[in-house]
């Protein structure tokens, strides 16, 4: 999966925005003002950090120890950093992006939650 695919998928989610609060990299994707993904395109290989439920974090890190890493500079209980090195197929990365989005959106106050996805 290419970084542009991650960007397109993230921005295709309802209410998602992109900004660069840390400089040129990483790109930060938010819903309701809260971060659900960070994309480091300039890393080798490119990588995306995602917020997931703790049980999912443990399972993914056990199944893909060389591709799904502890969240870089993030709470290791909730965040993983996924290498975009071709080990995980695009469909799986898309599912993880959506799960991260859903996890963050569900934690928002009702007035800030985007409309449910179709």
């Amino acid at each position: 999966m290419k970084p542009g695919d991650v960007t397109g998928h993230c921005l295709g989610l309802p209410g998602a925005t992109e900004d660069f609060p840390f400089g040129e990299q990483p790109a930060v994707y938010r819903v309701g003002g809260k971060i659900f993904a960070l994309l480091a395109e300039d890393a080798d290989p490119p990588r995306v950090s995602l917020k997931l439920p703790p049980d999912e974090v443990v399972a993914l890190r056990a199944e893909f120890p060389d591709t799904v890493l502890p969240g870089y500079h993030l709470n290791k209980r909730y965040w993983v950093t996924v290498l975009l090195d071709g080990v995980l197929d695009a469909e799986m990365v898309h599912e993880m992006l959506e799960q991260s989005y859903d996890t963050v959106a569900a934690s928002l106050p009702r007035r800030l939650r985007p409309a449910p996805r179709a």
Side-chain angles (χ1 to χ4, degrees), residues 17-37:
T17 61
E18 176 185 49
D19 65 358
F20 298 88
F22 309 113
E24 290 183 26
Q25 293 288 318
V28 175
Y29 300 93
R30 302 174 190 260
V31 60
K34 294 184 84 174
I35 297 171
F36 71 91

Side-chain angles (χ1 to χ4, degrees), residues 25-104:
Q25 293 288 318
V28 175
Y29 300 93
R30 302 174 190 260
V31 60
K34 294 184 84 174
I35 297 171
F36 71 91
L38 297 103
L39 175 64
E41 291 185 55
D42 61 349
D44 186 27
R47 55 200 68 209
V48 62
S49 295
L50 305 167
K51 186 173 188 177
L52 301 171
D55 57 333
E56 188 71 18
V57 167
V58 171
L60 285 167
R61 287 186 51 207
E63 187 173 353
F64 304 102
D66 296 329
T67 301
V68 180
L69 309 173
Y72 184 69
H73 287 294
L74 299 162
N75 184 327
K76 310 304 185 243
R77 182 168 184 218
Y78 297 99
W79 288 85
V80 294
T81 296
V82 179
L83 303 182
L84 302 176
D85 58 3
V87 172
L88 301 179
D89 64 18
E91 183 178 337
M92 183 166 191
V93 175
H94 285 167
E95 288 173 8
M96 292 169 70
L97 287 167
E98 290 174 8
Q99 186 176 21
S100 182
Y101 171 90
D102 291 342
T103 298
V104 172

